[in-house]
Amino acid sequence: MLWKESYEIGVPLIDAQHKELFRRVELFLQVLRSEVCWDEKVQKVNETLEFMKGYVVEHFRDEEEYQQSIGYPGYEAHKQLHTGMVEYVLEFSKKYEQSNNDEQLIQQFGGKLLAWLINHVAAEDQRIADYAKKKG
Amino acid sequence: MKDILYKAFFDATQNAFKLMLNILEVSDHPAGDFKCDDEVDIAIGVTGDLQGKVIYRYPVSTSLNIVNIMSGMQFDAVDAFVTSAVSEIANIISGNVLTALSENDMNCDILPPEQCKLDDDKKYDINTSCHIRTAIGEICLEIRLNRA
């Protein structure tokens, strides 16, 4: 399982969204890495990509609202990380569509998404939790 | 400057292995001890007050171990997914180093990761290697930078 309890930041809404994000990414990776031929998995992969585009934006918005509510000093820098990832996903999505669903491209996307998500939640988001704890 | 950069890259790598992979055993060793015939080399270009690149040399076995831990799945060969995942880790480590350097008024940017070859005839003001051993394998960072 991709999700680890140590990733929790102690905010129920954000933790629930993180868990859902990890669950979806895990399902995405299972489909992406399955042995079946590309034609069989392309529809499922595309559905997940569409979901991610919407869900990531919704989650980032909620997380940023929380950061503002507690006066998190790293808000601007964190927002930039979110913006960068959303831009990457949208840019990738366009390139992928133009390539007529090229498998190599989506494999590259999967690798980056996995590493980015783990680092973001395990490192960047934990700073929010540390600040909230210190603030009390 | 060479020592500052060496330490910054080692610390950032150690931190990434701890937070992303839960690997706590990370140590640095003489660069000459790093021997590898089959590796994935990823270059991160650097611009700004320092210019050049940092090459992350991941032996194939280390690359696969990293991705196996992150994904909870079994990867047996390096492919586009694995290369992209270890490239992103190189990107994360480099980004964290540059953030740390910016706190000391050293302002640099990084370029997107690219798979590369080690060969390079250029001369650099700072040319050092950081050989890192971890519980899941070794990596070597070739730091090749000029002052702007």
Side-chain angles (χ1 to χ4, degrees), chain B residues 81-126:
Chain B
F81 187 104
V82 174
T83 304
S84 176
V86 297
S87 296
E88 181 58 19
I89 292 177
N91 195 38
I92 288 164
I93 293 169
S94 305
N96 288 339
V97 169
L98 297 192
T99 301
L101 291 177
S102 72
E103 287 160 11
N104 294 312
D105 289 331
M106 177 76 66
N107 295 306
C108 303
D109 278 320
I110 51 173
L111 301 174
E114 280 184 357
Q115 205 164 356
C116 69
K117 289 182 178 168
L118 269 183
D119 305 339
D120 188 353
D121 294 333
K122 286 184 193 164
K123 297 272 183 207
Y124 294 94
D125 301 334
I126 300 158

Side-chain angles (χ1 to χ4, degrees), chain A residues 1-2 4 7 26 29-34 88 104 106-116 118-119 122-124 127, chain B residues 15-16 19-22 66-67 69-77 79-82 84-86 88-89 91-92 96 113:
Chain A
M1 195 176 173
L2 281 185
K4 292 181 175 55
Y7 295 161
E26 191 163 17
L29 296 187
Q30 282 166 359
V31 175
L32 192 62
R33 302 303 300 183
S34 64
Y88 168 74
Q104 287 300 300
I106 197 91
Q107 293 288 350
Q108 283 173 18
F109 175 77
K112 178 178 167 99
L113 177 68
L114 176 67
W116 189 92
I118 290 175
N119 176 64
E124 303 295 343
R127 293 190 187 130
Chain B
N15 203 38
L19 294 176
M20 296 179 70
L21 307 168
N22 199 27
I66 288 172
V67 178
I69 289 176
M70 285 198 301
S71 66
M73 299 165 85
Q74 186 64 36
F75 286 75
D76 298 316
D79 61 9
F81 187 104
V82 174
S84 176
V86 297
E88 181 58 19
I89 292 177
N91 195 38
I92 288 164
N96 288 339

